[in-house]
Amino acid sequence: MAKIYTVCLVFMVSLELVTSQVLTEQCLSCIRQYKSTGRSNMCNAHITNLGNASCGRYVISGAFWNACGRPGSGFGKCTRDDWCAEKCMQIYFTRYASRCAKKIKKETYQLTCGDYIRMHNGGLHGCAQGSTMDAANEVDRCMAN
């Protein structure tokens, strides 16, 4: 039992390290730039009906926030706080990186910031959706600058 726990822990830590290498400050900056272009998404800090709400500089949806484990002291507050929003993205991307990589026939360590924005925009299946390619290309261009 201890061996299984250790293997799981090592696997989770290695996924965390891979994701944290992608979510560099430059990647976060490119995601902020892409997500905030022409949008005003500073939702009320006390929003309770998540519905279709997407808030903050990272334009995090209620479904995304739920999937990352609902960090912080509420949806509106978390999405308006960069530290909490970035923590939510880190958790979400770490949790679903292997699924994304499998869909686009990459290893998890090969995922780019553009791949992560595809997950952000398209949800769990975003990496395989053609509709997320423009976002990926724009973020990858930003990363190249």
Side-chain angles (χ1 to χ4, degrees):
M1 184 69 159
K3 285 184 178 181
I4 292 172
Y5 180 75
T6 303
V7 168
C8 288
L9 185 60
V10 168
F11 178 72
M12 289 172 57
V13 168
S14 65
L15 264 181
E16 180 77 23
L17 290 172
V18 167
T19 307
S20 65
Q21 291 170 358
V22 172
L23 284 180
T24 62
E25 183 53 43
Q26 182 186 11
C27 178
L28 291 168
S29 176
C30 289
I31 291 173
R32 277 193 306 267
Q33 182 180 331
Y34 173 79
K35 294 303 265 181
S36 65
T37 303
R39 299 175 181 98
S40 176
N41 292 298
M42 299 311 288
C43 296
N44 183 315
H46 303 291
I47 193 168
T48 55
N49 179 9
L50 300 182
N52 292 326
S54 293
C55 304
R57 294 195 318 163
Y58 292 106
V59 194
I60 292 175
S61 69
F64 190 101
W65 183 70
N66 279 323
C68 79
R70 304 170 65 103
S73 58
F75 171 71
K77 286 184 179 179
C78 182
T79 58
R80 291 175 42 177
D81 173 46
D82 284 350
W83 182 88
C84 187
E86 290 166 7
K87 177 180 178 183
C88 180
M89 290 191 309
Q90 185 77 33
I91 292 167
Y92 185 93
F93 295 151
T94 300
R95 183 173 289 158
Y96 300 111
S98 61
R99 181 183 293 188
C100 173
K102 184 177 179 181
K103 286 184 181 293
I104 58 176
K105 297 180 179 19
K106 287 184 176 181
E107 296 295 327
T108 304
Y109 71 88
Q110 295 173 313
L111 293 175
T112 67
C113 190
D115 295 325
Y116 286 103
I117 194 70
R118 292 183 76 189
M119 282 181 13
H120 189 315
N121 284 4
L124 298 180
H125 305 290
C127 286
Q129 294 175 351
S131 61
T132 61
M133 281 305 300
D134 287 344
N137 291 335
E138 190 167 329
V139 167
D140 284 338
R141 272 193 301 277
C142 175
M143 290 293 292
N145 292 332

